[in-house]
Amino acid sequence: MIDNRLSIILLSYNSSSNILAAYQHLKKALNEEKIDFEFIIMDDGSEDNSYEIAVQLEKNEKNVKSFQLSRNFTSHYSKFAGLSVAKGSCAMAIPDDFQVPTKTIIECYRIWEKGAKIVIPYRNSRNEKKSIRLFSNIYYWIMNKISEINFPPGGADTFLIDREIINLINTRISPRNTSSIIEVLRLGFNPEFVKMERPASINEKSRWTYRKKVRLALDTIIATSSFPIKLISNVGLISFLF
């Protein structure tokens, strides 16, 4: 582990057209800010040549490491996997399509330098289809109502965390049927929240399908709330009385 090094975990899935651009863009911006970083490419079982590109980039750049999961597990498992190999004093997982602006990454890092253990950027606005916004709004409303955690307005799915939090996640948290953002929010630390504008130029078709979203929503609601158990118990009791 190197003091003040930032571990950037790139969540890669069929990302052959994005990997090099993402790295070069971040390298330029972080070097200008004099931020030491490692670039971890976590390939989530891509079906194209993303991993081959990642391996070649690793050969050319000393601060790049590439890994590949055995199959497509979804980005939430990729985050846990990336944190398990991160060597920096802090870490942040990002998608490959610039949904998290570089200036937000830098802002989160600067807040961490001042002593914050957890920094969470949240979407100040959502430049998405109405159906996607509706699904997200319903999900976060349910989570805030019945679970033991509270999401910021607009929801959040990434974060920058200190080495202490990374170690806790790696040693104490199981990645099954949960997500990293939920586990970070459950740890009891006081996170710092940062507003983030999602770039309007993103027009790629989402690789995060409705099926994956619904599955994750059910898993996380069950994992973070006693409401389903209480509901089943009450239904069983009422049925027994009748």
Side-chain angles (χ1 to χ4, degrees):
M1 182 178 68
I2 300 177
D3 289 346
N4 294 333
R5 171 173 282 193
L6 167 62
S7 295
I8 294 288
I9 302 166
L10 186 77
L11 305 174
S12 172
Y13 177 65
N14 294 345
S15 306
S16 58
S17 61
N18 295 339
I19 292 174
L20 295 179
Y23 174 73
Q24 293 299 337
H25 180 75
L26 279 168
K27 179 180 179 181
K28 181 177 184 297
L30 296 181
N31 284 347
E32 288 176 353
E33 292 287 328
K34 294 181 171 53
I35 297 175
D36 187 25
F37 76 104
E38 67 170 347
F39 192 74
I40 299 169
I41 304 170
M42 188 56 62
D43 187 88
D44 190 20
S46 294
E47 298 172 347
D48 62 4
N49 65 334
S50 296
Y51 183 60
E52 287 74 15
I53 293 174
V55 170
Q56 186 59 47
L57 184 61
E58 179 182 5
K59 293 178 180 178
N60 297 335
E61 300 286 347
K62 293 181 179 180
N63 66 333
V64 175
K65 297 293 181 183
S66 60
F67 301 88
Q68 186 178 46
L69 301 182
S70 60
R71 63 174 176 83
N72 179 234
F73 285 93
T74 76
S75 61
H76 290 284
Y77 283 91
S78 287
K79 289 178 185 178
F80 282 109
L83 290 173
S84 72
V85 296
K87 303 299 183 183
S89 296
C90 59
M92 186 173 191
I94 61 171
D96 66 350
D97 53 2
F98 302 101
Q99 290 187 44
V100 179
T102 304
K103 66 177 182 179
T104 299
I105 297 173
I106 295 170
E107 183 178 2
C108 290
Y109 180 84
R110 297 306 184 198
I111 294 173
W112 168 79
E113 281 188 316
K114 295 177 181 178
K117 297 288 186 180
I118 300 172
V119 187
I120 300 178
Y122 67 93
R123 290 176 286 271
N124 191 39
S125 61
R126 302 183 69 98
N127 183 41
E128 299 169 321
K129 294 180 180 179
K130 290 183 179 179
S131 58
I132 296 176
R133 288 201 304 269
L134 178 62
F135 181 93
S136 297
N137 290 337
I138 291 174
Y139 169 73
Y140 290 119
W141 181 84
I142 292 174
M143 290 295 291
N144 286 342
K145 286 292 183 181
I146 70 174
S147 73
E148 60 192 46
I149 62 174
N150 285 299
F151 281 94
D157 52 23
T158 191
F159 46 79
L160 186 147
I161 53 177
D162 182 74
R163 169 51 59 180
E164 180 181 357
I165 311 301
I166 297 171
N167 291 341
L168 282 173
I169 290 177
N170 288 339
T171 58
R172 302 295 180 89
I173 304 298
S174 169
R176 292 175 60 85
N177 301 327
T178 188
S179 72
S180 54
I181 183 66
I182 284 176
E183 298 304 331
V184 165
L185 288 169
R186 293 174 72 176
L187 284 175
F189 293 82
N190 294 320
E192 296 277 350
F193 293 99
V194 175
K195 288 184 179 181
M196 176 183 72
E197 297 290 343
R198 181 181 176 183
S201 60
I202 295 173
N203 55 16
E204 294 184 358
K205 182 179 179 181
S206 175
R207 289 158 289 182
W208 189 245
T209 64
Y210 275 109
R211 181 179 178 182
K212 291 179 180 178
K213 289 178 180 179
V214 170
R215 180 178 177 181
L216 176 67
L218 292 175
D219 285 344
T220 53
I221 288 172
I222 291 172
T224 60
S225 173
S226 61
F227 176 79
I229 296 176
K230 291 179 180 178
L231 178 62
I232 293 171
S233 300
N234 290 335
V235 170
L237 177 61
I238 292 171
S239 299
F240 172 77
L241 293 176
F242 273 106

